[in-house]
Amino acid sequence: MDWDKLRIFHAVADAGSLTHAGDKLNLSQSAVSRQIRALEESLNATLFHRHARGLILTEQGELLFDAATAMSKRLDAAAARIRDSEEEVFGELRVTTTFGFGTLWLAPRLPKLYEKYPDLSIDLMLEERVLDLPMREADVAIRMKEPSQADLVRKRLMTVQMLLYASRDYLDRVGTPESLSDIKDHRLICQNPSSAQVGAGASLVQNLMTYNPQSLLTVNNYFGVLQGVLHNLGIGVLPDYVTEDFPDLVRVMPDIESADVPVYLAYPEELRHSQRIAAFRDFVQEEIISHRKQLRQMGKL
């Protein structure tokens, strides 16, 4: 198949319009239409249903679009590797991690990365869904469990635990719980049980619920839980990596903790020699070393 025609077909399918695809490709609508018609003739198949509101892929068109998308991603990966052969670190790096880790730990540290590599652009994708790295949905991931795919380079970074925290003002006003049975006198702030979260955190919350907290505030991410704790609403279930950046938080019932949650950095095997990946990997590792050193100085390790 003619790759140029496939490229135009992919743009049309993505835009849903000959006109919009032409604008993106800097081609006239008639030129785009001729290329699509020629591709359909070469395949002896109809690729689009045409109607007044635009274009919709046929079943055959969907098959071709999926294949063209995969090819495009592979070409993007090849181009990235070629660019990465240069000594300088520049260009876009798509990083995915959970909302909690991304907002509470990673994002506040990115100024140091930009200071070192000012020409690097980070596309930070925060979501609980595990993005497909081999299919190039992202370049590198920080995940709260070991990746299961075999064609990924992975490195264990650290472990995290879910602990109980409250603000000093809240404890001065309501009192400090000494045991789990005291939960009945406090508002518990935690992730909504139906929210996507690590199993260790969910198990800890389920256990706390059996002690009938006086009231609940449930949020679908740890950033929201943290805000509730900082605003003196109750006792929150939070990952221990918040301790360094929010030193006014007070840990309560220090014998209560979740199981260890391993944190992994992963990226596709084909990006093993990427300068951008190496720069980000080294940055994260250096920040974790600094983070642990700070915790030791605070007496929290």
Side-chain angles (χ1 to χ4, degrees):
M1 268 183 275
D2 185 330
W3 171 246
D4 199 47
K5 290 185 176 62
L6 280 177
R7 180 177 64 88
I8 293 172
F9 159 77
H10 188 271
V12 172
D14 193 47
S17 161
L18 294 172
T19 302
H20 292 157
D23 291 341
K24 183 178 179 180
L25 298 168
N26 199 27
L27 295 171
S28 67
Q29 179 180 339
S30 59
V32 173
S33 180
R34 283 196 303 272
Q35 294 293 327
I36 296 299
R37 189 162 55 248
L39 182 60
E40 289 180 322
E41 289 173 357
S42 70
L43 294 172
N44 193 28
T46 300
L47 301 175
F48 293 100
H49 293 302
R50 293 158 173 83
H51 61 85
R53 290 177 297 173
L55 301 173
I56 297 177
L57 287 167
T58 62
E59 184 177 353
Q60 293 90 340
E62 290 278 6
L63 289 171
L64 187 61
F65 181 70
D66 289 344
T69 298
M71 291 172 65
S72 178
K73 288 180 178 178
R74 298 289 290 185
L75 286 172
D76 287 344
R81 290 184 62 183
I82 292 169
R83 290 195 301 271
D84 283 339
S85 65
E86 301 291 335
E87 290 186 3
E88 295 182 49
V89 175
F90 67 97
E92 183 183 66
L93 182 68
R94 296 171 300 162
V95 179
T96 181
T97 189
T98 62
F99 190 91
F101 191 82
T103 56
L104 299 177
W105 193 89
L106 180 58
R109 288 166 171 77
L110 287 180
K112 296 179 184 178
L113 181 64
Y114 280 119
E115 182 178 352
K116 191 172 184 179
Y117 302 108
D119 296 326
L120 187 64
S121 298
I122 302 293
D123 180 9
L124 190 55
M125 295 175 280
L126 305 181
E127 51 185 296
E128 307 308 315
R129 180 174 70 92
V130 175
L131 299 187
D132 192 328
L133 297 182
M135 286 302 295
R136 298 308 310 280
E137 288 188 320
D139 298 316
V140 60
I142 297 177
R143 295 179 175 171
M144 304 298 119
K145 64 178 180 179
E146 184 172 6
S148 58
Q149 292 168 297
D151 49 353
L152 294 179
V153 179
R154 74 218 48 211
K155 179 174 182 59
R156 183 161 174 160
L157 297 173
M158 61 179 178
T159 58
V160 170
Q161 287 182 314
M162 307 304 154
L163 308 176
L164 298 177
Y165 295 97
S167 69
R168 172 58 59 192
D169 287 347
Y170 173 82
L171 295 176
D172 288 344
R173 176 168 53 87
V174 181
T176 301
E178 300 296 334
S179 66
L180 281 173
S181 60
D182 293 335
I183 286 287
K184 69 181 187 307
D185 301 319
H186 295 269
R187 179 179 296 109
L188 181 66
I189 310 171
C190 58
Q191 282 227 53
N192 189 308
S194 63
S195 299
Q197 58 184 300
V198 295
S203 296
L204 177 58
V205 168
Q206 289 169 1
N207 182 41
L208 294 171
M209 292 289 196
T210 64
Y211 290 87
N212 300 314
Q214 181 187 69
S215 174
L216 279 177
L217 170 61
T218 58
V219 193
N220 65 346
N221 59 67
Y222 286 122
F223 182 81
V225 173
L226 175 64
Q227 293 306 305
V229 174
L230 292 176
H231 288 82
N232 312 316
L233 289 177
I235 296 171
V237 179
L238 286 165
D240 57 11
Y241 54 71
V242 303
T243 306
E244 180 186 351
D245 294 331
F246 300 92
D248 292 337
L249 291 178
V250 179
R251 185 177 174 187
V252 298
M253 292 186 286
D255 55 329
I256 305 301
E257 58 189 31
S258 76
D260 287 347
V261 179
V263 180
Y264 283 85
L265 184 141
Y267 49 91
E269 178 69 36
E270 64 190 26
L271 294 180
R272 177 183 287 275
H273 301 293
S274 164
Q275 297 287 339
R276 290 168 299 154
I277 295 285
F280 182 77
R281 179 197 62 217
D282 293 347
F283 154 74
V284 170
Q285 290 177 317
E286 289 166 5
E287 286 302 306
I288 286 174
I289 291 171
S290 175
H291 170 69
R292 293 182 63 83
K293 181 179 179 180
Q294 182 70 20
L295 290 183
R296 280 194 293 272
Q297 291 174 348
M298 296 167 66
K300 296 184 177 181
L301 264 188

